Amino acid sequence: LRIIWNSILYLVKTGCQWRMLPQDFPKWQRVYYYYKKWADMGLFELVLEHLRGKFRVKLGQKSEPSLGIMDSQNIRWGNNRSLKG
């Protein structure tokens, strides 16, 4: 499973196609099978959440954010072409 994980990290880092995985890694079909399985389980979100919490603690913050900020200029509310300002 470690080599499968390394294969997925290689794909993410290099941006190469599944079928272009180097010979050092398992066949792309096997790597894709585990990627799809883990993505459907939400594993990548769990890992990211865990790493984010550890990083925040390392910075001296609480592991969970207590506030969210939303910038209204980045939100689209349907067809607002006629709105100015």
Side-chain angles (χ1 to χ4, degrees):
L1 291 179
R2 174 73 181 248
I3 197 159
I4 298 290
W5 183 260
N6 289 341
S7 303
I8 293 170
L9 290 179
Y10 178 85
L11 284 164
V12 170
K13 184 175 181 179
T14 63
C16 80
Q17 298 172 358
W18 287 99
R19 296 173 190 249
M20 301 293 287
L21 272 174
Q23 298 295 327
D24 302 359
F25 297 119
K27 292 184 178 184
W28 73 269
Q29 295 95 332
R30 183 176 303 249
V31 177
Y32 181 77
Y33 167 79
Y34 279 100
Y35 168 78
K36 181 78 171 126
K37 182 179 175 181
W38 292 341
D40 290 345
M41 289 173 36
L43 179 75
F44 299 114
E45 288 83 6
L46 289 173
V47 169
L48 181 62
E49 185 179 325
H50 179 73
L51 290 175
R52 184 178 338 151
K54 284 184 150 285
F55 184 72
R56 288 178 58 87
V57 168
K58 189 175 182 178
L59 291 177
Q61 301 171 347
K62 294 181 181 176
S63 64
E64 293 292 324
S66 59
L67 179 66
I69 298 174
M70 193 176 301
D71 183 3
S72 63
Q73 292 183 3
N74 292 332
I75 298 176
R76 302 215 180 261
W77 291 90
N79 185 3
N80 56 0
R81 292 183 188 148
S82 62
L83 299 177
K84 301 282 183 185

